[in-house]
C-alpha cells in the first residue's frame, strides 16, 4: 500500500476558468498536503485549459495533469472515468478529491467501485488525525440531523467528495511554482456505454444563486405562485435573488432549479431571508452557511428559529409589505 | 420490460429534529418512538417510475431489499402500489454491511433473478445519505448507468434518460439492460389502493439468506466494511435568535429592517 501517495483533485474548468468548487477543493487539498507533507496534484480536462493550468498552480497546486482537446462537458461519464483511471495509474494518489456537484456525484462512486477504493460522499470537513495520520472524513447524515466522522485506514485510495462552500475558495499567488504535465490518453471507444444526446442549461434570469449576496427564500408557507411576487420585490430591492425549498418545487409554484438544500444548491450569501420555511435539516443543509439568516414564520415553534439570527413571528403577507417599504426607504 | 427495483427501509427522514436521538457511546441512531420506519422516499419514487414504465410497456416489477426481519415491510408497501414480486435478503451475516457489501449482496440476487431489462435504485438512502449503492451495483453487474433520473423513456429500443443537473438537465441514451438511479424530480408517487394494501399484507415475502445467494463471507458484514465510524454526533447550534417584536407584525418588520441596517447587512 506504500505506493499510494499524495492528493489528487479532479478539477473542473468552465469557460477557461477554474470553477469555484475546484478552488474550494484546492484550499482543502493544500491543507491536507501540507499536513501530510505530500504533493497536491490536479487533473484538468477540457479544451484550451493551459491558462487554467497556470491558474491552478497560482492557487496552490504542485502538479497539474492536463488532458487537452476533450470537450469535458460533452463527454460521457465512461470516457471521463477511463481518463481518471489512467491518470490514477500515473499519479497513484492516496487521497482523491471531487466536488459534490454534477460530475463528482456521478463519477466518484463509479471510480471507487472500479479501483476498490474507499469513498465518502458530501463531506464538510477533512482532517488528518495527528496521532494515527488517518484521513478523518466528516459528513452530515440523516439529512443533516447528525454528523458522522469516518476513517478508512486500511483501504487505498480514499476518495472523497466535498460539499460546495465547505471551504473558502483558494486565492491566487502568482509567485507560486508548479509542474504542468500534459498527458495524452487514448481512450478505447468500446468502454463508452452511454451516449450523451444533449446538455441543456436552463438560464436563470438575473443573479445566479451561488453568486448571490442576498437570497430571499420561500417555502410551503407561501402557499402558491402568487405569494412569490412579494418575495421577488424584496429580493429586487436588496439586490438579491429568489430561492425555494422542496415544497414550491414539488408543487410546481417555482422552477425546480431554484431549490436550496441537500439535493439542491448550497449557498452562503451575506443575507438569507427564509419566509414560510419550517427549517427542515435537509433544507438548512443548503443555507446554514449564510452570514445572516432571517426567519419569518407564523409558527413561533418553527425549527428555523433555532438556526436564525433574527426572527419575526407572523404572517408573511403582513410582514413583507412594510419590510419592503422600509428597505426601500433605507436604501435611498 | 422487466424491472428490478432496490428499496431500503429507513427511519422516517421527515421527523422533527427534536425527535432525532443518538446513542453517542455506541454510535447508533435511536429509532424515534412511535414513528414507524418507512420506505426510502427516493425508492418509492423509483417504484413509481417502474409502475409508469410497466403501464406503457408491460412486463414485471420485482422488488429487492436487504435488511433485518422487518425490512419485508417495505417490499409489501411496494407490492401494495402495484409491484408484482418481492424478495427480502436477510441474514445475520449481512448485518453491518457497508455500501460495497450491500451492492454485492444485491448483485448476487440480481444475477439469480437474471431475467431483467432495467434495475432502478434511489439516488440515495435518506438515512446515511451515502449515494453509492446504485453506482457500485452497476459496476458489479457491468451495466450502463445513468444517475439522477427525472424521466425514462424507451426510444427505438434504447433507454432514453433525462438526468437532472444543478442548472438544467442532460439526456442520455443507453442500451438494455441498464441501471438508473432516480431523483425526486420524478414527482409524487401514487398512493396504494385499499385493495392493494389488503392483498399485499396477505403475501408471503420470500427470504433469501447468504447461502441462497452464494455470498462470499469475506465480502459481507461488518468486517468487510471499508470505512470505520469514528464518531457520530448532533451538531451544536450556537446561534441565538434575536426575536424582533412589535405591537403588530408590520411594526416588527420595520424594526427588523432597522436592525439589519444597524448590523450592516442591508
Ligand atoms: C431525502 C430528503 C431530501 C430532502 N432534500 C431537501 C432539499 O434539498 N431542500 C429542501 O428544501 N427540502 C428538502 N427535503 C424536504 C424537507 O424535509 C422538508 O419537507 C421541506 O424543506 C419543507 O419545506 P418548507 O419548510 O418550505 O415547508 P413546510 O414544512 O410545509 O413549512 C412551511 C412553514 O411555513 C410556515 N407558514 C405557513 N403559512 C405561513 C404564513 N402565511 N406566513 C408565514 N409562515 C407561514 C409554517 O409555520 C411552516 O413552518 C428533503 C426531504 C427528504 C426526505
Ligand atoms: N439495504 C438496501 N436494500 C435494497 N436497496 C438498497 C439498500 N441500500 C441501498 N439501496 C439502494 O441504493 C440506493 C442508494 O443507497 P445509498 O447508497 O445507501 O445512499 C437506495 O436508494 C436503494 O435504491
Amino acid at each position: 500500500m506504500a505506493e499510494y501517495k499524495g492528493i489528487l483533485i479532479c478539477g473542473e474548468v468552465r469557460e477557461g476558468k477554474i470553477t469555484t468548487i475546484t478552488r474550494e477543493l484546492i484550499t482543502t487539498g493544500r491543507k491536507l498536503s501540507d499536513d501530510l507533507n505530500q504533493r497536491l496534484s490536479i487533473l484538468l480536462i477540457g479544451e484550451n485549459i493551459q491558462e487554467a493550468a497556470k491558474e491552478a498552480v497560482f492557487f496552490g497546486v504542485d502538479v497539474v495533469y492536463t488532458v487537452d482537446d476533450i470537450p469535458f462537458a460533452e463527454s460521457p461519464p465512461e470516457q471521463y472515468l477511463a481518463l481518471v483511471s489512467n491518470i490514477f495509474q500515473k499519479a497513484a494518489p492516496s487521497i482523491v478529491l471531487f466536488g459534490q456537484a454534477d460530475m463528482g456525484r456521478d463519477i466518484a462512486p463509479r471510480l471507487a467501485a472500479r479501483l476498490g477504493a474507499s469513498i465518502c460522499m458530501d463531506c464538510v470537513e477533512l482532517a488528518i488525525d495527528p496521532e494515527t495520520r488517518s484521513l478523518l472524513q466528516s459528513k452530515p447524515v440523516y439529512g443533516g440531523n447528525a454528523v458522522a466522522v469516518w476513517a478508512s485506514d486500511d483501504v487505498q485510495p480514499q476518495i472523497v467528495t466535498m460539499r460546495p462552500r465547505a471551504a473558502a475558495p483558494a486565492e491566487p499567488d502568482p509567485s507560486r511554482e508548479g509542474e504542468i504535465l500534459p498527458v495524452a490518453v487514448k481512450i478505447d471507444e468500446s468502454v463508452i456505454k452511454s451516449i450523451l444526446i444533449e446538455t441543456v442549461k436552463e438560464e436563470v434570469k438575473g443573479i445566479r444563486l451561488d453568486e448571490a449576496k442576498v437570497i430571499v427564500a420561500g417555502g410551503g408557507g407561501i402557499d402558491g405562485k402568487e405569494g412569490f411576487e412579494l418575495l421577488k420585490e424584496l429580493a429586487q430591492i436588496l439586490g438579491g435573488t429568489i430561492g425555494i425549498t422542496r415544497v414550491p418545487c414539488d408543487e410546481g409554484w417555482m422552477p425546480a432549479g431554484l431549490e436550496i438544500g441537500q439535493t439542491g444548491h448550497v449557498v452562503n450569501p451575506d443575507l438569507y431571508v427564509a419566509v414560510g420555511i419550517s427549517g427542515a435539516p435537509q433544507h438548512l443543509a443548503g443555507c446554514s452557511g449564510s452570514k445572516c439568516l432571517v426567519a419569518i414564520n407564523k409558527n413561533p415553534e418553527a425549527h428555523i428559529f433555532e438556526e436564525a439570527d433574527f426572527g419575526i413571528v407572523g404572517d408573511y403577507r403582513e410582514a413583507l409589505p412594510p419590510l419592503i417599504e422600509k428597505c426601500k426607504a433605507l436604501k435611498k | 420490460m422487466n424491472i428490478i427495483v432496490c428499496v431500503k427501509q429507513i427511519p422516517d427522514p421527515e421527523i422533527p429534529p427534536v425527535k432525532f436521538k443518538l446513542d453517542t457511546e455506541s454510535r447508533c441512531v435511536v429509532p424515534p418512538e412511535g414513528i414507524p420506519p418507512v420506505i426510502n422516499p427516493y425508492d418509492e419514487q423509483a417504484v413509481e417510475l417502474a409502475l409508469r414504465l410497466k403501464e406503457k410497456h408491460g412486463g414485471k416489477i420485482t422488488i429487492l431489499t436487504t435488511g433485518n426481519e422487518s425490512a419485508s415491510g417495505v417490499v409489501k408497501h411496494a407490492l401494495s402500489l402495484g409491484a408484482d414480486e418481492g424478495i427480502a435478503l436477510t441474514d445475520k451475516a449481512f448485518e453491518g454491511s457497508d455500501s460495497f457489501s450491500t451492492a454485492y449482496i444485491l448483485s448476487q440476487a440480481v444475477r439469480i433473478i437474471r431475467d431483467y431489462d432495467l434495475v432502478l435504485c434511489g439516488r440515495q438512502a435518506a438515512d446515511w445519505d451515502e449515494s453509492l449503492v446504485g453506482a457500485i451495483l452497476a459496476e458489479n453487474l457491468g451495466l450502463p448507468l445513468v444517475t439522477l433520473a427525472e424521466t425514462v423513456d424507451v426510444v427505438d429500443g434504447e433507454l432514453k434518460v433525462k438526468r437532472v443537473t444543478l442548472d438544467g438537465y442532460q439526456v442520455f441514451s443507453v442500451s438494455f439492460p441498464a441501471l438508473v438511479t432516480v431523483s425526486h424530480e420524478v414527482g409524487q408517487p401514487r398512493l396504494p389502493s385499499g385493495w392493494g394494501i389488503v392483498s399485499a399484507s396477505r403475501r408471503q415475502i420470500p427470504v433469501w439468506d447468504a447461502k441462497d445467494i452464494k455470498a462470499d463471507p469475506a465480502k459481507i458484514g461488518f468486517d468487510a466494511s471499508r470505512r470505520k465510524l469514528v464518531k457520530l454526533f448532533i451538531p451544536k447550534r450556537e446561534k441565538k435568535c434575536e426575536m424582533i417584536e412589535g405591537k403588530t407584525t408590520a411594526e416588527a418588520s420595520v424594526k427588523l429592517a432597522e436592525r439589519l441596517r444597524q448590523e450592516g447587512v442591508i
Side-chain angles (χ1 to χ4, degrees), chain B residues 25-165:
Chain B
E25 199 72 1
S26 63
R27 282 168 256 140
C28 281
V29 175
V30 182
E33 232 173 278
I35 304 173
V38 295
I39 182 171
N40 176 36
Y42 298 111
D43 300 352
E44 194 174 26
Q45 281 160 320
V47 173
E48 172 63 32
L49 194 66
L51 290 166
R52 289 180 199 164
L53 284 168
K54 183 183 157 178
E55 280 158 6
K56 238 171 150 175
H57 306 284
K60 192 171 108 179
I61 301 172
T62 306
I63 306 297
L64 265 188
T65 192
T66 163
N68 61 21
E69 280 78 25
S70 78
S72 60
V74 289
V75 176
K76 289 196 172 176
H77 176 74
L79 294 179
S80 76
L81 294 170
D84 301 282
E85 307 277 336
I87 300 155
L89 308 163
T90 302
D91 195 311
K92 271 249 167 288
F94 296 158
E95 282 173 21
S97 287
D98 70 358
S99 309
F100 291 94
S101 299
T102 302
Y104 169 72
I105 293 163
L106 293 170
S107 64
Q108 290 297 94
V110 170
R111 287 198 176 99
I112 294 172
I113 297 169
R114 228 174 63 209
D115 177 23
Y116 64 89
D117 306 293
L118 179 62
V119 181
L120 295 179
C121 284
R123 63 179 287 173
Q124 70 200 65
D127 48 2
W128 292 95
D129 293 315
E130 296 282 10
S131 332
L132 292 173
V133 168
I136 302 168
L137 185 56
E139 283 285 320
N140 287 355
L141 295 167
L143 298 177
L145 165 71
V146 187
T147 55
L148 307 183
E150 173 176 350
T151 59
V152 171
D153 268 319
V154 183
V155 179
D156 300 332
E158 302 257 301
L159 197 64
K160 209 168 142 198
V161 186
K162 182 173 170 190
R163 172 181 192 253
V164 182
T165 60

Side-chain angles (χ1 to χ4, degrees), chain A residues 106 117 119 142 151 200 307, chain B residues 127 147 169 226-228 237:
Chain A
D106 188 80
I119 178 160
Y142 283 80
V200 177
E307 292 273 342
Chain B
D127 48 2
T147 55
Y169 63 90
R226 297 187 190 180
R227 281 185 338 214
K228 282 175 198 68
R237 309 181 206 282

Side-chain angles (χ1 to χ4, degrees), chain A residues 219-220 245-246 259-260 262-263 276 278 282-283 297 315-316, chain B residues 14:
Chain A
T245 66
R246 176 72 69 81
E259 186 182 342
I260 289 169
Q262 185 190 36
T263 49
S278 60
Q282 295 92 349
H283 179 71
N297 195 304
D315 191 318
Y316 81 91
Chain B
E14 298 213 77

Side-chain angles (χ1 to χ4, degrees), chain A residues 102 106 114 117 119 139 142-143 147 149 151 195 197-198 200 202 262-263 282 307 309 311 319 330, chain B residues 13 42 127 129 139 147 163 166-167 169 171 173 226-228 230-231 233 237 239 241-242 244 253 261:
Chain A
D102 297 331
D106 188 80
R114 203 160 281 193
I119 178 160
K139 159 198 172 58
Y142 283 80
V147 175
V149 184
I195 301 164
I197 300 174
E198 59 174 336
V200 177
E202 281 162 349
Q262 185 190 36
T263 49
Q282 295 92 349
E307 292 273 342
D309 298 285
L330 288 172
Chain B
Y42 298 111
D127 48 2
D129 293 315
E139 283 285 320
T147 55
R163 172 181 192 253
L166 276 171
D167 57 3
Y169 63 90
V171 181
S173 166
R226 297 187 190 180
R227 281 185 338 214
K228 282 175 198 68
V230 182
K231 197 173 155 193
F233 63 99
R237 309 181 206 282
K239 277 192 180 170
C241 185
E242 182 178 327
I244 312 279
S253 290
R261 186 46 174 260

Side-chain angles (χ1 to χ4, degrees), chain A residues 163-238:
Chain A
R163 182 176 284 189
R165 317 284 175 254
E171 291 299 333
D173 172 357
S175 70
R176 282 186 192 267
E177 283 173 28
E179 250 179 296
I180 298 176
L181 301 174
V183 188
V185 183
K186 207 104 194 72
I187 303 280
D188 170 7
E189 296 275 328
S190 71
V191 302
I192 295 173
K193 291 183 189 161
S194 55
I195 301 164
L196 177 53
I197 300 174
E198 59 174 336
T199 297
V200 177
K201 295 216 184 301
E202 281 162 349
E203 288 301 327
V204 272
K205 278 179 254 125
I207 308 161
R208 287 168 55 101
L209 269 174
D210 49 359
E211 287 164 4
K213 294 268 174 254
V214 175
I215 295 173
V216 180
I222 305 305
D223 203 25
K225 213 194 217 115
E226 304 71 32
F228 277 94
E229 293 306 319
L230 274 176
L231 276 73
K232 279 185 198 157
E233 208 182 326
L234 180 62
Q236 204 183 3
I237 285 157
L238 298 176

